[in-house]
Amino acid sequence: MRIGIPRALAYYVYYPFVNTFFEKLGCKVVVSDVTTKETMDMGVQDTITDACVPLKLFHGHVRNVKDKVDYVFTPRLVSVNNEATFCPKFLGLPDMLACSIDNFENPFEVRIDLQGSKLRLFTLCYQVAKRLKKGFFATYNAYREALTNLKNYKHQFLQGGIPPLGIVAQKKDTPIKLGVIGYPYMLYDPYLSLDLIKKLINMGVYIITPEMIPNEDKAKQGRKMKKTLFWTFSNEVLRSGYHFLDKKCVDGIIHVTAFACGPDFAVDKLLEIKSKNHNIPYLTITLDEQTGQGGLNTRLEAFVDMISIKKKKLGNKGKEAAMA
Amino acid sequence: MRRRKVSFPYMGTSYIPFNTIATAFGNDVIMPPKPTAKTISYGTKYAPEFACYPFKIVLGTYIEVLEKGADTLVTSGGVGPCRAGLYAVVQEEILRNLGYDFEMIILEPPSAGLFDLIANIKKLINTSISIFDLISIIRFAWKQVKVLDKAEKLSHRVRPLEVKRGQTSRVYKQSIALVKKARNYTELLEVERQIEKMYDKIDKKDIDPIKIGIVGEIYVLMEPFSNLEIEEMLGELGVYVERSMFLESYTISNAVMDIFHLTGDKDAKRAASPYFNEMCGGHGRESVGNSVLFAKRGFDGIIQLSPFTCIPEIVAKSILPTVCKKYGLGFMTISLDEQTGKEGLRTRIEAFIDLLAAKKRHKQNLKSLDLAKEL
């Protein structure tokens, strides 16, 4: 059986798990093609205008893959931990797809709710495997392997690599370090993010994304917050931002967000206020289905230039102080 | 005990019962002013760009009441995933950053912690109150809510039938003033009768108006300023409007039922389940469910009101066209924010009503043709 996986939204976080799991169960996994103008256009056609870009892209990717496979994997992410759920658009995703895409008859809907015990993930996997008529041991093996793969994937991030973009390691001795934060589906889709990360690396910047910060550090920031946000990915982003500001381990922060992104109204404002108080440069980049590169290039160059000038000035002052 | 200067967000007529309770609890109430263009300009200046419209109005209101000297803001919390549950957290941060000094009391829903809620309410009680007093205060405020809702429902029913335009709106305004004036429960009962009589006296035409159901996000449904008085506009165009949500039903399903960990509004949820089967926060699922219920009761069309970028309503908006098509309803969605203009909206609505009227005539013609054939 061929199972199609749309390359959008939570794909960038969980694909090592999902892909491996289905492969080990004996399915042929077909991931939709990388995002192109065509995918975007198809998505824009099907969705309503005020939906955010990542959601539009998901529709595009489903249309890209649906005719090539027997089933399309459409997750309904409800929760992956005990503290938060997901943006309503994740919760209503299968329902929206059913109403927005014409002739979409082969969804493979999986409701992912891992609240409660740690066994929930395995029980869920077992339920999925049962629908595919696989036995207990096959499921267990697939599950184990998928978990290992996910762990490897996360480890690569912690080592400073960005596996979804094919970056294995970054040069450590760069003059500028930037925190680039945003949802994984915004940052790691090179078409959507207009290749922002590689552009910055080529400017000689060392980049830290939320996935590169150890979980314990993020959890520490989480305990300081007055009220936990309701959305898992937003929590990751906000805590990473707070971590950067607290530890002062970066020279500036770039927040990448989608036009009219709901959860980001809080994330962006809270970070903006806090970085102002901490005196760390902060830039918000809002992306939508427009593909003009010029504006983005200018803004990134200006931001990086500004930081390097600031650093030079500080360096000179330090030298003068040392001479005196 | 220190007297607090309490204020709260402005939403529809809810300020009347809130005022009753807060005053009876021994606080000075700084009455939030009705939102105006000034409120919005404060709100949009300091709110994040993509915050929803209610956030901006409420933030603007806070700034206005803080300028008037309020030192305690009372507001609701929430458990998400709708953004409204985080309003207070973000607003507090913004206002503190602007240099205001105040205390924010966030009333979280009872299921998120009944004792926290009670502790928070206790902060607001700054006079000695017996249990008996408490019960009579709540009974009185609850009756106010009921009478206000009743007056509004009557206005929706009478407005399309009125002979002299504007009469209903005038009566509605009078009813609100009467409710405000009533001092105790018996007076309120008298006011209720009086309101019924006033609506009764309005000259009415004998027609069968077009029926439109309004669904959507709670704030823009309840606060006429934010939806550009759409209900009045529709009524004066001769349309019977019914809104899916009123303060009374909202309070029951979200506060009272919540104490017992029950979900409110079960009918709407059941009606929505074939199309939309997940709690997604806000009133997204209720919008879908109520549309189905409206359809089953023979309505002609649905108007969905949502603030621009409202997430649950975007989900509902993706699903509603399919639902309305299935039930043969007209469907129109209106995104509201500070940019929405009233005249543009009126043109859209007039076109929508014309279409519905044509459709209705067509249906009736078909029916009479069938009848003729049978004869």
Side-chain angles (χ1 to χ4, degrees):
Chain A
M1 187 165 66
R2 281 163 308 161
I3 190 141
I5 297 184
R7 193 192 290 268
L9 294 181
Y11 171 84
Y12 294 98
V13 195
Y14 301 119
Y15 79 85
F17 186 89
V18 177
N19 290 11
T20 321
F21 181 70
F22 282 122
E23 264 166 26
K24 291 292 158 194
L25 278 184
C27 301
K28 193 172 180 302
V29 172
V30 182
V31 179
S32 63
D33 301 329
V34 283
T35 316
T36 56
K37 179 120 197 357
E38 205 186 334
T39 333
M40 184 79 90
D41 288 346
M42 281 199 286
V44 171
Q45 270 172 21
D46 281 342
T47 43
I48 53 166
T49 42
D50 6 5
C52 60
V53 207
L55 187 71
K56 289 176 181 170
L57 267 184
F58 195 92
H59 284 70
H61 279 287
V62 167
R63 267 181 66 178
N64 177 285
V65 80
K66 79 180 166 89
D67 297 326
K68 300 179 200 163
V69 293
D70 300 319
Y71 286 108
V72 181
F73 176 67
T74 52
R76 190 197 289 275
L77 272 170
V78 180
S79 66
V80 292
N81 54 31
N82 283 333
E83 55 169 19
T85 168
F86 283 87
C87 170
K89 287 170 192 164
F90 284 82
L91 296 170
L93 189 60
D95 299 320
M96 281 196 273
L97 290 169
C99 291
S100 317
I101 299 183
D102 294 333
N103 308 322
F104 180 36
E105 275 135 16
N106 51 351
F108 187 84
E109 190 190 320
V110 179
R111 185 175 187 275
I112 300 160
D113 184 0
L114 307 180
Q115 223 163 6
S117 89
K118 280 189 174 165
L119 273 174
R120 286 297 284 274
L121 181 59
F122 180 69
T123 13
L124 179 77
C125 286
Y126 188 51
Q127 279 164 9
V128 171
K130 254 193 192 162
R131 278 163 71 183
L132 299 170
K133 306 212 167 54
K134 301 288 172 199
F136 181 83
F137 289 105
T139 317
Y140 186 68
N141 284 336
Y143 166 77
R144 282 285 301 275
E145 199 129 337
L147 264 192
T148 327
N149 218 348
L150 184 68
K151 221 178 246 170
N152 276 340
Y153 179 70
K154 284 186 174 162
H155 188 71
Q156 282 176 27
F157 270 114
L158 293 177
Q159 299 297 316
I162 304 176
L165 292 174
I167 297 166
V168 185
Q170 297 182 55
K171 264 192 239 157
K172 285 250 158 129
D173 54 345
T174 51
I176 297 175
K177 255 190 183 180
L178 282 185
V180 179
I181 51 179
Y183 303 128
Y185 48 82
M186 297 299 299
L187 295 179
Y188 306 137
D189 186 335
Y191 181 85
L192 181 55
S193 71
L194 305 173
D195 230 356
L196 175 129
I197 289 186
K198 281 197 179 152
K199 269 178 191 159
L200 283 170
I201 291 178
N202 288 340
M203 285 179 200
V205 175
Y206 184 83
I207 281 175
I208 310 176
T209 63
E211 282 73 27
M212 294 181 198
I213 303 170
N215 273 338
E216 307 86 70
D217 287 346
K218 279 186 268 190
K220 221 181 272 166
Q221 294 297 327
R223 284 193 282 276
K224 285 187 208 158
M225 268 153 57
K226 221 182 195 177
K227 187 172 180 179
T228 329
L229 303 185
F230 308 134
W231 317 288
T232 309
F233 291 152
S234 308
N235 272 327
E236 296 273 299
V237 171
L238 187 62
R239 288 169 189 178
S240 312
Y242 279 3
H243 172 79
F244 290 144
L245 293 170
D246 248 20
K247 294 274 164 350
K248 295 210 185 294
C249 56
V250 293
D251 303 311
I253 297 175
I254 297 182
H255 182 210
V256 183
T257 168
F259 177 77
C261 171
D264 270 353
F265 97 105
V267 176
D268 194 50
K269 193 71 192 178
L270 293 174
L271 281 174
E272 189 191 311
I273 291 175
K274 191 144 188 191
S275 50
K276 210 182 245 171
N277 295 341
H278 279 68
N279 235 340
I280 284 185
Y282 177 77
L283 173 72
T284 309
I285 286 185
T286 310
L287 297 169
D288 60 7
E289 48 269 65
Q290 314 293 333
T291 49
Q293 308 250 347
L296 180 70
N297 291 349
T298 318
R299 293 187 66 191
L300 291 182
E301 277 163 17
F303 190 67
V304 172
D305 281 351
M306 188 196 71
I307 287 174
S308 59
I309 290 170
K310 187 181 164 194
K311 275 198 111 170
K312 243 180 237 164
K313 265 190 192 161
L314 282 178
N316 284 342
K317 258 186 204 162
K319 263 183 217 162
E320 276 165 25
M323 296 250 276
Chain B
M1 264 181 269
R2 183 176 72 95
R3 276 180 89 83
R4 286 171 183 273
K5 289 190 176 129
V6 173
S7 197
F8 37 81
Y10 188 98
M11 179 173 87
T13 49
S14 64
Y15 67 93
I16 299 171
F18 276 143
N19 181 27
T20 311
I21 295 176
T23 315
F25 282 178
N27 302 294
D28 292 331
V29 174
I30 306 281
M31 200 55 115
K34 193 169 167 46
T36 56
K38 202 172 105 197
T39 319
I40 296 299
S41 73
Y42 281 138
T44 44
K45 191 168 173 191
Y46 300 113
E49 191 183 351
F50 296 126
C52 31
Y53 195 36
F55 181 95
K56 293 175 184 171
I57 299 179
V58 172
L59 183 67
T61 308
Y62 285 159
I63 293 179
E64 282 181 321
V65 292
L66 286 171
E67 287 292 333
K68 279 191 197 166
D71 60 10
T72 308
L73 299 175
V74 185
T75 184
S76 63
V79 289
C82 167
R83 291 186 275 174
L86 287 170
Y87 272 16
V89 179
V90 182
Q91 279 161 340
E92 188 176 358
E93 196 88 4
I94 293 173
L95 291 170
R96 289 221 188 284
N97 203 44
L98 289 175
Y100 290 108
D101 184 32
F102 59 95
E103 186 182 356
M104 198 140 198
I105 296 182
I106 306 172
L107 304 177
E108 296 287 349
S111 60
L114 191 57
F115 292 104
D116 287 350
L117 179 68
I118 291 171
N120 270 333
I121 292 176
K122 261 192 179 159
K123 277 192 209 164
L124 287 172
I125 302 181
N126 295 310
T127 178
S128 49
I129 271 185
S130 69
I131 287 285
F132 178 75
D133 288 340
L134 192 69
I135 290 172
S136 74
I137 292 165
I138 287 172
R139 179 161 166 255
F140 177 59
W142 187 241
K143 188 71 191 168
Q144 279 184 326
V145 171
K146 276 180 140 172
V147 176
L148 286 168
D149 278 357
K150 191 171 189 181
E152 200 170 1
K153 278 179 192 166
L154 277 172
S155 81
H156 291 162
R157 196 167 311 152
V158 174
R159 198 177 281 125
L161 307 175
E162 68 188 4
V163 177
K164 238 204 266 150
R165 181 175 284 189
Q167 214 174 355
T168 317
S169 303
R170 217 172 307 128
V171 168
Y172 178 54
K173 260 182 208 144
Q174 279 169 4
S175 335
I176 293 179
L178 280 175
V179 175
K180 261 196 230 170
K181 239 190 265 162
R183 286 282 148 255
N184 55 42
Y185 196 82
T186 28
E187 269 180 49
L188 216 48
L189 285 177
E190 181 54 38
V191 164
E192 192 178 359
R193 262 195 297 278
Q194 217 173 325
I195 290 172
E196 276 170 21
K197 241 184 243 159
M198 285 198 304
Y199 278 112
D200 229 27
K201 268 190 204 147
I202 299 175
D203 291 331
K204 297 181 200 77
K205 291 178 266 189
D206 184 26
I207 50 164
D208 179 23
I210 294 175
K211 288 190 221 127
I212 292 183
I214 296 191
V215 296
E217 192 270 345
I218 177 163
Y219 192 93
V220 293
L221 282 188
M222 306 265 249
E223 174 48 48
F225 172 76
S226 67
N227 60 32
L228 306 164
E229 284 111 15
I230 191 172
E231 285 160 359
E232 203 177 318
M233 196 193 287
L234 280 166
E236 285 178 357
L237 287 166
V239 175
Y240 169 70
V241 192
E242 193 168 314
R243 200 167 69 195
S244 61
M245 211 178 308
F246 283 90
L247 199 56
E248 184 191 347
S249 55
Y250 173 76
T251 317
I252 289 184
S253 64
N254 285 277
V256 184
M257 301 276 274
D258 204 53
I259 299 176
F260 310 107
H261 291 258
L262 294 170
T263 47
D265 220 355
K266 279 217 175 97
D267 293 343
K269 275 167 193 154
R270 205 173 302 134
S273 65
Y275 313 97
F276 191 0
N277 211 359
E278 187 70 47
M279 197 280 289
C280 80
H283 297 94
R285 185 153 58 143
E286 282 84 343
S287 290
V288 175
N290 281 317
S291 304
V292 174
L293 294 178
F294 279 136
K296 286 187 177 155
R297 285 172 46 205
F299 275 61
D300 301 294
I302 299 287
I303 291 182
Q304 184 205 21
L305 297 179
S306 69
F308 178 59
T309 75
C310 171
I311 333 174
E313 293 304 326
I314 285 180
V315 179
K317 210 184 281 181
S318 311
I319 296 167
L320 275 172
T322 316
V323 175
C324 289
K325 205 170 169 188
K326 194 180 161 197
Y327 286 98
L329 287 172
F331 175 63
M332 179 161 103
T333 164
I334 298 169
S335 269
L336 295 154
D337 69 358
E338 63 273 14
Q339 317 269 347
T340 320
K342 194 163 183 175
E343 289 315 308
L345 182 66
R346 186 190 294 275
T347 317
R348 285 182 65 192
I349 283 182
E350 280 170 359
F352 183 61
I353 293 171
D354 284 348
L355 284 174
L356 289 183
K359 200 171 161 191
K360 197 173 182 181
R361 267 200 306 278
H362 183 66
K363 252 191 214 162
Q364 274 163 357
N365 284 344
L366 281 183
K367 243 186 222 164
S368 50
L369 266 180
D370 284 346
L371 268 179
K373 263 182 207 164
E374 270 172 36
L375 288 172

